[in-house]
Amino acid sequence: MQNILNDIQDFIKNKTKNKTWIPGKDFVNYAGPYFDHNEFVAAAESLLSGWLVMGSKCQKFERDFPKQFGKQNGILTNSGSSSNLLMMASLTSKRGYNLPKGTKVLMPIAGFPTTLNPTLQMGFQPVFVDIELDTLNLNLNQVEETLYNNPDIRVITFAHVLGNPPNMNKLMELVKKYDLLLLEDCCDALGSTYDGKTLGSFGVMASCSFYPAHHMTMGEGGYVACNTYEQEVILRSFREWGRGCYCIGPDANKLKNGTCGKRFSCWIDTMPDEIFDHKYVYDEIGYNLKPIEIQGAMGLEQLKKLPDIHRLRRRNYQLLFDIYKNYEEFFHLPRAQDLSDPSWFAFPLTIRKDAPFTRNDIVDYLEENLIQTRPYFAGNIMLQPAYKHIMEPIKAKEDFPIATFTMTNTYFHGTSPVITPEQMAYIGEKVNGFMSLYI
C-alpha cells in the first residue's frame, strides 16, 4: 500500500508544481478546495483500508472539530444543509425541547434556502424580518419589534452573512429577554469571531458546511456543534435513521454488548420483557445523513490548514477592499461588524441606487473577462418559484424592500485561499477598466 500512497503523493506534487494561470485565458474561480498531496493520500489510504462507512477517522474528526465553535459536543454529517435540517429536527424530540408543529421561528427573508427549508420541513412557521443594506445581516430593530409583537416565537435562526456577524451583543440581549433558542448557521463563518468569541459559540447549536467553496472541505460534508452530550445523542439519532443506540468508537460495531455494555437489553417500553438489539431500536423519526470514512480522513488534514486558510481569506478580503474603496460612491462595501473579526467567505457588493450602471453590466463584464461572481444566494427567498405559495409576491416586495433590492443589485467575489495575489491584481485591473467608462 505504501508504494501506492507514495505514487499518489508524487503525482499530486508534480501536478501542482506545474500548475499555471494565464490572465484572460484561465478563469479566476471564486472558490475551490485548498488541497495539497496530504488530502489525496489520506483519502486513498482510507479507501484502501476497506472500511467505507463512518469509522475511526470520522469519529476523531467529530471529537476534534467542535472546539472551532467553542463547544465540546457535536456530530459530523454529509452536508451543511443536512446539518441545518438536523438542528431543527432535534428541536422536535420528546427527549429534548419537544417543540410542536406550528412553532414560530424568526429568521431573515434573504439568504440560502437551507437556512429556511428545515423550518418548513418540520411544520414550523417562519416569521421573517428584512435585512440591512450595508451588512446584509438581519435587521435587529425589526427583530426586536417582531419579537415584541409575537411573544410566542420560540426559535431564532440566521446565517452569519459570508462570515460577518450581526451585533451579537444586541442579539443575545433579545435572545435572553424573549427566552429564545438560537440556532447559528455558520456554514459561511468558520473561524470568524465576535468580541473574542468564535461564531457558533453563542447558540444552543451551530451548523457548518464542508462543501468545496467553503472554508475547508471534504468534498461534501457538514457538522452540528451543540452544548451538551444529551443534545449530541439526539442529533446522532436523527442522523442515523432515528435509532436509539448511542455507542460510538472503533469497537462499537464489534463488541457483543457495544461500548455501553448493555446492547442486548429490554429497550422497548411497549414490550418490557423482550430483549432487543439496541442498534435496531428507534427513538426518533430520523434520516440517513451520515458521511463516509473518506470524508473524515480528508477533514482531519484540512483541520491542520485552517490557520493558513483564515489568514489568506482575510488577506483576499483586504485586497478586494483596496480595489473597490476608490469607487465607494457606487457601491455599498462590506465592512466587519464592530467587535468582529470575520474569516470572510466572500466579498459582497451592492450597487447603489444612483449608480450609472447595473449589476448585470458589471457582472457581465467581469464574467466576460473570466472572473467568476455570484449573487447573494436566493435574495428575497419569497420571490423564488418554490415559495410563491407561502407569501404573495407583492407583499414580499413591499414588506421586505432591502432583501428585494439586493436580489437585483448584489453580487460577490470569492475570498478563497485558492485566489492568488496575481489573480487579485487582474481583478483590480478589470474593475478599474470597467469603472473608467463611468468616471
Side-chain angles (χ1 to χ4, degrees):
M1 181 192 295
Q2 191 57 51
N3 289 337
I4 295 173
L5 299 179
N6 290 340
D7 288 343
I8 292 171
Q9 175 176 304
D10 292 342
F11 174 80
I12 297 300
K13 283 184 174 181
N14 289 329
K15 179 181 178 182
T16 55
K17 180 178 66 176
N18 298 323
K19 187 176 181 181
T20 60
W21 175 80
I22 302 174
K25 291 188 177 181
D26 297 323
F27 270 98
V28 179
N29 296 317
Y30 92 97
Y34 189 64
F35 280 177
D36 59 21
H37 64 278
N38 289 293
E39 284 81 3
F40 292 93
V41 170
E45 186 174 21
S46 174
L47 190 60
L48 291 170
S49 75
W51 187 264
L52 302 180
V53 299
M54 282 191 72
S56 60
K57 299 292 187 182
C58 285
Q59 289 156 5
K60 177 171 172 47
F61 187 92
E62 282 191 333
R63 294 192 301 272
D64 291 351
F65 186 78
K67 67 186 71 172
Q68 300 292 331
F69 287 156
K71 298 184 185 298
Q72 299 298 317
N73 299 94
I75 62 163
L76 184 60
T77 73
N78 64 352
S79 76
S81 298
S82 294
S83 298
N84 284 344
L85 176 60
L86 289 169
M87 283 200 301
M88 199 64 71
S90 73
L91 300 183
T92 68
S93 174
K94 296 178 179 63
R95 298 179 289 169
Y97 295 105
N98 197 22
L99 297 187
K101 291 185 183 300
T103 295
K104 290 184 178 180
V105 180
L106 184 63
M107 65 184 65
I109 200 167
F112 199 77
T114 53
T115 305
L116 162 64
N117 289 354
T119 297
L120 302 174
Q121 290 158 340
M122 291 303 106
F124 295 162
Q125 180 182 341
V127 180
F128 296 110
V129 295
D130 208 351
I131 60 175
E132 299 174 337
L133 187 57
D134 286 330
T135 69
L136 307 180
N137 270 303
L138 72 177
N139 185 313
L140 292 182
N141 291 330
Q142 287 192 19
V143 169
E144 187 166 16
E145 179 182 356
T146 302
L147 289 170
Y148 179 82
N149 292 324
N150 295 267
D152 52 344
I153 290 174
R154 293 291 313 280
V155 182
I156 182 168
T157 189
F158 62 90
H160 298 286
V161 174
L162 306 179
N164 193 22
N167 182 331
M168 292 303 294
N169 286 337
K170 181 174 181 179
L171 187 136
M172 293 309 294
E173 288 176 4
L174 296 173
V175 167
K176 182 176 181 180
K177 179 178 179 179
Y178 290 95
D179 192 23
L180 303 175
L181 298 171
L182 169 59
L183 306 182
E184 291 181 80
D185 183 335
C186 295
C187 290
D188 297 345
L190 179 60
S192 295
T193 64
Y194 181 88
D195 199 15
K197 292 184 62 178
T198 56
L199 301 188
S201 65
F202 292 86
V204 295
M205 284 177 274
S207 64
C208 195
S209 171
F210 304 132
Y211 185 72
H214 289 265
H215 286 68
M216 57 170 283
T217 185
M218 47 184 74
E220 285 276 8
Y223 199 91
V224 183
C226 54
N227 286 338
T228 68
Y229 173 71
E230 289 74 20
Q231 289 172 333
E232 179 184 307
V233 168
I234 292 170
L235 287 163
R236 194 179 302 278
S237 178
F238 273 101
R239 183 188 66 184
E240 299 171 23
W241 312 285
R243 70 180 176 185
C245 181
Y246 45 81
C247 291
I248 57 174
D251 295 326
N253 291 313
K254 300 176 182 178
L255 299 175
K256 176 183 177 182
N257 285 313
T259 54
C260 66
K262 51 182 180 178
R263 174 178 170 184
F264 293 92
S265 300
C266 300
W267 290 105
I268 299 181
D269 57 7
T270 56
M271 305 180 73
D273 299 322
E274 293 293 328
I275 293 176
F276 277 84
D277 182 347
H278 202 200
K279 288 187 176 296
Y280 294 90
V281 175
Y282 302 94
D283 291 332
E284 309 288 352
I285 300 175
Y287 311 92
N288 180 7
L289 301 176
K290 303 187 308 300
I292 59 175
E293 183 71 345
I294 193 172
Q295 291 173 279
M298 295 167 69
L300 289 171
E301 294 300 325
Q302 284 277 278
L303 279 177
K304 301 172 187 176
K305 293 184 170 67
L306 279 180
D308 203 34
I309 288 170
H310 297 319
R311 176 183 63 81
L312 293 172
R313 284 185 173 275
R314 291 181 172 103
R315 179 203 69 186
N316 285 345
Y317 162 84
Q318 190 60 53
L319 290 173
L320 286 164
F321 191 89
D322 291 343
I323 292 168
Y324 278 97
K325 68 182 180 182
N326 299 315
Y327 311 114
E328 192 162 7
E329 62 184 300
F330 303 127
F331 297 96
H332 295 272
L333 299 186
R335 288 181 167 84
Q337 174 70 240
D338 290 346
L339 301 179
S340 75
D341 183 16
S343 176
W344 292 88
F345 172 76
F347 188 88
L349 294 143
T350 302
I351 312 296
R352 294 186 184 273
K353 288 183 179 180
D354 56 355
F357 54 88
T358 67
R359 179 181 69 178
N360 286 341
D361 291 332
I362 189 167
V363 164
D364 285 350
Y365 180 88
L366 293 169
E367 296 282 348
E368 286 170 4
N369 286 281
L370 305 184
I371 299 169
Q372 288 187 334
T373 65
R374 293 291 186 269
Y376 179 46
F377 304 134
N380 184 337
I381 200 165
M382 287 297 107
L383 297 176
Q384 292 280 350
Y387 306 92
K388 289 190 296 184
H389 64 288
I390 297 175
M391 185 181 296
E392 289 293 330
I394 186 67
K395 178 177 173 60
K397 292 177 181 178
E398 290 180 352
D399 290 358
F400 306 97
I402 304 303
T404 303
F405 182 76
T406 61
M407 194 170 184
T408 55
N409 290 276
T410 300
Y411 69 98
F412 65 74
H413 290 280
T415 57
S416 171
V418 304
I419 306 174
T420 66
E422 180 187 12
Q423 292 172 332
M424 285 293 179
Y426 176 74
I427 293 174
E429 174 190 328
K430 294 306 173 184
V431 170
N432 291 339
F434 176 83
M435 297 308 302
S436 69
L437 301 174
Y438 298 96
I439 57 176

